[in-house]
Every structure is written in structure tokens, then in C-alpha cells.
């Protein structure tokens, strides 16, 4: 791990955390540390779990979407 950031981390040029589950799954799959620590089977299984969560979410109509479509209708 890098040394702790003091002050405004967004101005430090430090790597950012993933902003979405999709980014996190990609980062997990590309992580040499995850592969070395957990092995390829765990990395694959956890990535598949993340993708299943993404698929379930994308198949769901949210309350916000319902409200916005009814407002425009």
C-alpha cells in the first residue's frame, strides 16, 4: 500500500477508489494482489458474483425511473 495521504487526497494524484460496482469488478479481476492472495478461482467467483449483482440491478426499474417516466407521461 502507498503511504497515507495527508491533506486533500483528491489533489494528491493518488489512485481513486472505484466509483461503481462495474469499475470495482474490473479492478478486482485485474488485481495481481487479489490473484496472489486468493487465487484464480476465488477471483473468478467473486467477479461473477459482482456481475450477477450488476445484472440484477440493471433488470430492475427503480423508484426514480418510475417517478420520472410518470412525470413525463
Amino acid at each position: 500500500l502507498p503511504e497515507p495521504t495527508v491533506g486533500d487526497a483528491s489533489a494528491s494524484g493518488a489512485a481513486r477508489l472505484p466509483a461503481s460496482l462495474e469499475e470495482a469488478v474490473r479492478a478486482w479481476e485485474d488485481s495481481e494482489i487479489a490473484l496472489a492472495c486468493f487465487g484464480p478461482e476465488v477471483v473468478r467467483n467473486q467477479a461473477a458474483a459482482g456481475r450477477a449483482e450488476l445484472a440484477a440491478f440493471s433488470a430492475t426499474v427503480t423508484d426514480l425511473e418510475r417517478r420520472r417516466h410518470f412525470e413525463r407521461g
Side-chain angles (χ1 to χ4, degrees), residues 1-3 6 11-12 16 19 26 28 34-35 37 41 45-46 49-50 54 56 61 64 70:
L1 294 174
E3 291 298 314
V6 177
S12 72
R16 298 180 54 89
R26 280 196 305 267
W28 170 257
L35 187 60
C37 290
E41 188 174 341
N45 288 341
Q46 291 299 309
L54 286 165
V61 178
L64 173 64
F70 283 125

Side-chain angles (χ1 to χ4, degrees), residues 7-61:
D8 184 359
S10 66
S12 72
R16 298 180 54 89
L17 292 173
S20 67
L21 180 55
E22 186 175 3
E23 286 181 21
V25 169
R26 280 196 305 267
W28 170 257
E29 288 179 304
D30 294 341
S31 172
E32 292 179 19
I33 294 171
L35 187 60
C37 290
F38 301 108
E41 188 174 341
V42 170
V43 170
R44 258 192 324 273
N45 288 341
Q46 291 299 309
R51 281 198 194 85
E53 188 70 20
L54 286 165
F57 179 76
S58 68
T60 302
V61 178

Side-chain angles (χ1 to χ4, degrees), residues 59-73:
T60 302
V61 178
T62 66
D63 289 340
L64 173 64
E65 291 168 316
R66 284 188 191 103
R67 284 193 305 271
R68 293 200 41 101
H69 289 290
F70 283 125
E71 288 172 1
R72 293 180 182 169

